[in-house]
Amino acid sequence: RKEVEQDPGPFNVPEGATVAFNCTYSNSASQSFFWYRQDCRKEPKLLMSVYSSGNEDGRFTAQLNRASQYISLLIRDSKLSDSATYLCVVNPLFSGGYNKLIFGAGTRLAVHP
Amino acid sequence: DGGITQSPKYLFRKEGQNVTLSCEQNLNHDAMYWYRQDPGQGLRLIYYSQIVNDFQKGDIAEGYSVSREKKESFPLTVTSAQKNPTAFYLCASSLPLQTGNQPQHFGDGTRLSIL
């Protein structure tokens, strides 16, 4: 089983739609969680951290469910510019003493007019 | 502006050749990382360094080497022993673990191809 699993998609949605991605992780002791965005042939960029109580940043909402070991990202009112691959990233507890991050393979989102 | 600079953007390697990818950061981060990304796959860790003059192997270190002589710089050499070097290489940096779990910030990558 992969340490971080995501549905590869693509999710094809019209502008203005609400879309949600889930991500599951295998290490129940994982400490921190992030969503990154990666445009085609570009580097990943931090979208938002995921906090235990859930958090929102504009049209983006992230949730954490520790009991079921998944995190989610909700995008409201999708824009064409939201088209990208969204990477789920987990920091496991037993990381050998360094700031280790485990990256999912990503979920591709395509927003169309 | 603070950031991470990788060079070159594109690099071609001949058979039997070693090539070196540059990574420089001015974020004053102690920790630096090298990843490799293949199409449809997640990032895989090659090497990491928590502090100057120290570095450790990641998950796929075979065929690669690094140095960390300065805080700002963490070059990666892809040696001829790496038989499948074609990939997108990403350098990242972060604050150290002691400051709490931190996100990593990436340079814009180097695409390496075989001639």
Side-chain angles (χ1 to χ4, degrees):
Chain A
R1 183 185 172 189
K2 290 182 181 176
E3 291 185 82
V4 178
E5 293 204 69
Q6 297 182 250
D7 180 343
F11 285 61
N12 294 300
V13 303
E15 272 186 292
T18 295
V19 61
F21 311 133
N22 283 343
C23 160
T24 58
Y25 59 94
S26 61
N27 186 339
S28 60
S30 294
Q31 289 198 315
S32 54
F33 310 86
F34 308 96
W35 283 103
Y36 279 71
R37 171 197 168 121
Q38 186 173 24
D39 291 293
C40 188
R41 301 178 70 81
K42 300 281 192 181
E43 77 277 19
K45 292 185 178 175
L46 178 67
L47 180 65
M48 58 197 302
S49 301
V50 185
Y51 301 122
S52 295
S53 55
N55 50 300
E56 193 173 298
D57 183 0
R59 296 181 294 107
F60 299 85
T61 300
Q63 297 278 355
L64 168 63
N65 185 320
R66 285 193 184 272
S68 300
Q69 294 179 216
Y70 78 81
I71 67 174
S72 64
L73 178 68
L74 181 79
I75 306 175
R76 289 182 300 278
D77 189 22
S78 299
K79 312 288 185 193
L80 294 175
S81 57
D82 293 334
S83 297
T85 297
Y86 290 84
L87 307 179
C88 172
V89 184
V90 174
N91 189 324
L93 175 62
F94 301 109
S95 60
Y98 74 98
N99 189 28
K100 178 176 183 175
L101 294 182
I102 308 294
F103 289 79
T107 297
R108 195 153 62 89
L109 171 65
V111 182
H112 57 83
Chain B
D1 278 342
I4 304 173
T5 301
Q6 289 187 241
S7 62
K9 276 187 94 64
Y10 300 94
L11 187 57
F12 297 92
R13 195 192 88 169
K14 294 179 182 177
E15 292 284 344
Q17 187 181 41
N18 292 354
V19 292
T20 297
L21 284 59
S22 169
C23 178
E24 304 276 331
Q25 55 99 359
N26 60 4
L27 298 167
N28 201 32
H29 285 166
D30 284 304
M32 296 187 75
Y33 315 81
W34 273 105
Y35 293 90
R36 166 185 175 135
Q37 187 176 35
D38 294 280
Q41 295 191 36
L43 278 66
R44 292 184 290 167
L45 183 67
I46 304 172
Y47 268 97
Y48 66 96
S49 168
Q50 296 189 83
I51 199 165
V52 176
N53 292 323
D54 180 71
F55 50 84
Q56 304 294 332
K57 292 181 179 179
D59 302 317
I60 54 163
E62 187 175 346
Y64 300 98
S65 65
V66 293
S67 62
R68 186 86 188 276
E69 296 175 5
K70 298 187 299 182
K71 186 175 183 177
E72 301 80 19
S73 179
F74 191 39
L76 174 74
T77 296
V78 184
T79 74
S80 57
Q82 173 47 246
K83 297 306 178 190
N84 185 23
T86 298
F88 187 36
Y89 289 87
L90 288 156
C91 178
S93 70
S94 76
L95 292 170
L97 184 64
Q98 291 80 359
T99 57
N101 295 311
Q102 298 287 339
Q104 294 172 12
H105 302 275
F106 288 85
D108 58 5
T110 293
R111 284 193 187 276
L112 176 61
S113 302
I114 293 291
L115 276 179

